[in-house]
Amino acid sequence: MPTPRHHLNRQRRRQALAAAPEDTAPRPRASVGVLTGPAPGAGRRPAAKPVRETSGAPEEDAVASGSGPRRLVPLVVLCVLTLLLGGFAGWAHGRAGELRDDPARSNTALTDLARTSEIKGQTGAAVAALFSYDHADTAPFEKAGKTLLTGKAVEQHRTLLGGVLARAAEQKTVITTTVTDSAVERIDGERARVLVYADQSSVSTAGTAKAGGKQSKAARDQGVYAGAMFAVDVVHRDGRWLVENIDTFGR
């Protein structure tokens, strides 16, 4: 009885396996990953890569080691920002205290326009009355000295006009003072300092009389004209601003 073909093939495979050398060592399984270099020589089987034993899962260690520095960066930035903001807050608080303590900050000359205008008006009128004199009618001058001056300004006013008044009756002097401009330097509560610009003329009406009792025109027109700049300190009392100091800047 002839042997079937599949039985012949099976016997041949068994004989071939029996003649082949024994190779029972397990072949290393290649790990799955990204290739970092060319494969070894052609036709050669790559050697198995040793695995380093570590505690815990390798993937978890890699994630932990990679996330550590990343977590530190936001923390460091937050600390720096906190220090910067804290320093700025301290500087701002100190600067605000300096501005509040600065005497210039109590000056309301530029913010209280109504009060500034009131001071300028009353000071201009007071200066004009205090430094204008007419030998023929001294009442307005004397009244201004009694009602518009206070403190050391009383003596200062008398000293400034003493020499003129001593010769006023003889020379028949007429002094006219007109305030052309003024500026309120500061307002501090009930006190203020005002810079005054004024035009002043002093005319002597005494002259040599001609026949018939008429005075010469040259004598009547003779006089002195000058501009003046000085400062006055004023104080608010009983609804009025009174001059308490006259500063002629050393003149």
Side-chain angles (χ1 to χ4, degrees):
M1 181 177 178
T3 303
R5 185 179 297 275
H6 66 276
H7 285 291
L8 293 176
N9 292 336
R10 184 181 298 173
Q11 291 178 359
R12 292 174 182 174
R13 286 197 297 269
R14 289 177 179 176
Q15 293 175 359
L17 291 174
E22 294 184 0
D23 188 5
T24 59
R27 295 182 180 179
R29 181 176 296 177
S31 60
V32 178
V34 179
L35 296 177
T36 58
R44 296 180 59 186
R45 183 177 298 174
K49 188 175 181 179
V51 179
R52 183 176 57 186
E53 295 183 358
T54 56
S55 59
E59 294 181 359
E60 294 179 359
D61 292 343
V63 173
S65 61
S67 61
R70 295 179 184 175
R71 292 178 182 176
L72 288 177
V73 171
L75 181 60
V76 172
V77 173
L78 181 60
C79 293
V80 173
L81 289 178
T82 302
L83 292 175
L84 290 177
L85 291 177
F88 176 78
W91 175 84
H93 179 74
R95 182 59 178 165
E98 292 178 2
L99 294 179
R100 286 193 301 268
D101 297 337
D102 187 358
R105 294 295 167 178
S106 62
N107 181 15
T108 59
L110 299 179
T111 58
D112 194 342
L113 300 181
R115 195 169 182 83
T116 299
S117 178
E118 174 188 328
I119 294 172
K120 289 182 63 175
Q122 292 194 22
T123 301
V127 168
L130 289 169
F131 292 94
S132 295
Y133 177 84
D134 186 351
H135 74 96
D137 184 12
T138 61
F141 175 81
E142 294 172 353
K143 182 181 179 180
K146 293 178 181 179
T147 59
L148 300 178
L149 295 173
T150 186
K152 62 182 179 180
V154 176
E155 183 63 27
Q156 291 172 337
H157 180 258
R158 184 180 295 113
T159 301
L160 288 172
L161 295 177
V164 176
L165 297 179
R167 301 186 299 271
E170 178 185 352
Q171 297 180 354
K172 301 184 183 302
T173 304
V174 177
I175 303 173
T176 303
T177 300
T178 304
V179 175
T180 58
D181 198 5
S182 63
V184 179
E185 292 185 1
R186 70 171 181 270
I187 303 174
D188 187 5
E190 298 299 307
R191 282 180 163 76
R193 182 174 177 84
V194 185
L195 185 62
V196 178
Y197 300 88
D199 288 339
Q200 193 172 57
S201 65
S202 176
V203 179
S204 176
T205 60
T208 304
K210 290 185 176 180
K214 293 184 179 182
Q215 191 179 42
S216 66
K217 184 176 183 300
R220 291 197 306 270
D221 293 343
Q222 185 178 5
V224 178
Y225 302 85
M229 181 183 72
F230 54 96
V232 293
D233 296 323
V234 296
V235 58
H236 192 255
R237 290 181 183 172
D238 300 328
R240 296 187 305 170
W241 289 93
L242 306 180
V243 177
E244 67 173 355
N245 181 51
I246 303 172
D247 185 1
T248 59
F249 306 115
R251 292 193 298 272

